[in-house]
Amino acid sequence: MPDLDAPRWSPSSPGFWRSPLRGPWLTSVLGLVLLAGITVLFVTGLVSYAAYNPGLSPVNDKTPDKGILGFYLFAWPTNPHWLYRLNQGVHVTLGFTLIPVLLAKLWSVIPRLFALPPARSLAHALERISLLLLVGGALFEFVTGVLNVQLDYVFPGSFYPLHFYGAWVFFAAFVAHVLLKMPTALRNLRHLREEKNDLVTPRPTAPTVSRRGALWFVGGGSLLLFATTVGQNFDGPLRRTALLAPHGGGEPGSGPNGFQINKTAAYAGIDTAETGEDAWRLVVTGPAGTVRLSRAQLAGLPLHSSALPIACVEGWSTSDQWWRGVRLRDLAALVGYDADDPPDVFVESLQRRGAFRRAALRANQVADPRSLLALYVNGEELSPDHGYPARIIVPAAPGVLNTKWVARMTFGDL
């Protein structure tokens, strides 16, 4: 039992936490909202990671020591072409929307974090450990996610393994906590009068708002964050309402190339001397040898068009843009493969730094007739910021796998 004789100025004293709002009913309502929301976040996060095809090649695999945690990985499909756009839009937008709920939930149970003694029994010790992992994991996942979305990631090490492993630690603690607390939460919701527990202060202050009023306040905060984030998934005026969402490098001007980007050519260190018609050559390698193609030679090959979006792990996406270029499977045929049964491809960029300056695509992505080495977008040549002289565009693939400033393509099993 809590020590009622502990000094009132001590956080371990029940009298220290005096808000009359705390109690099992409020905590249970917030917990059930998080149960649904965090489950969706976890699933969409795992799906997002699978979209990078980490099992395909070391260049795509940012967690080579994941072991059994990679049990669910599968070959990422190309249909529907908006799949990654939807998944990542839900993941990031929902993550922002749940922040007020998470903070309210942590506020509602904070007395338990300071309760003494630390453990009254083995079961209680396990519950406290799961609670600490739950709180620490939640804060870590939300903070790293928000910083990555805001292009201000300051944690040491790569975002991908930290967020991936952190998600598994957090979700394991989350499941343990749910199993321990779900019966109590459902019982609390069924009764208008709460049962007393350690969250109910013995020395309450006068209430300034009801518990339902507090829920409306939390819900209003979530709605505000939703309204200032969801616009990242759309082009045009609605994007300007996404005040808290990423804007990448901005919209580079107007016209056919005036849609969202993440990295500019200048940021990626692309030298215009390397991309000029006299200097740039695409190097394509396969079992029949190596072919070097100028941009004019590529433009002389059969060209095809695809309407595909760009969708970024940071949550933003564009509407469908009209791309025109050479099909990846036709490039595979140039170096000795059957265009109807092409292999994987390893793509290298002129970009000199960054985690995905090299990337691998699966055979099913290469075979899709909408997958292009694009030379044009919306009827005009690619701008330097959109990948001139040539870039990859693949349906349903994360934006970083749609490599810009392509220099070399090596076809073969990876």
Side-chain angles (χ1 to χ4, degrees), residues 217-239:
F217 179 76
V218 173
S222 290
L223 183 62
L224 178 63
L225 287 180
F226 175 83
T228 53
T229 305
V230 71
Q232 67 182 332
N233 301 292
F234 305 95
D235 293 330
L238 191 58
R239 186 180 294 277

Side-chain angles (χ1 to χ4, degrees), residues 4 24 73 110 134 165 190 228 267 306 313 333 349 361 386 402 407:
L4 296 178
L73 295 176
I110 197 170
L134 183 68
Y165 290 127
R190 284 197 298 265
T228 53
Y267 177 88
S306 299
V313 67
S349 173
L361 297 172
H386 280 298
N402 292 317

Side-chain angles (χ1 to χ4, degrees), residues 140 381 409:
F140 179 81
E381 287 189 343
M409 302 176 68

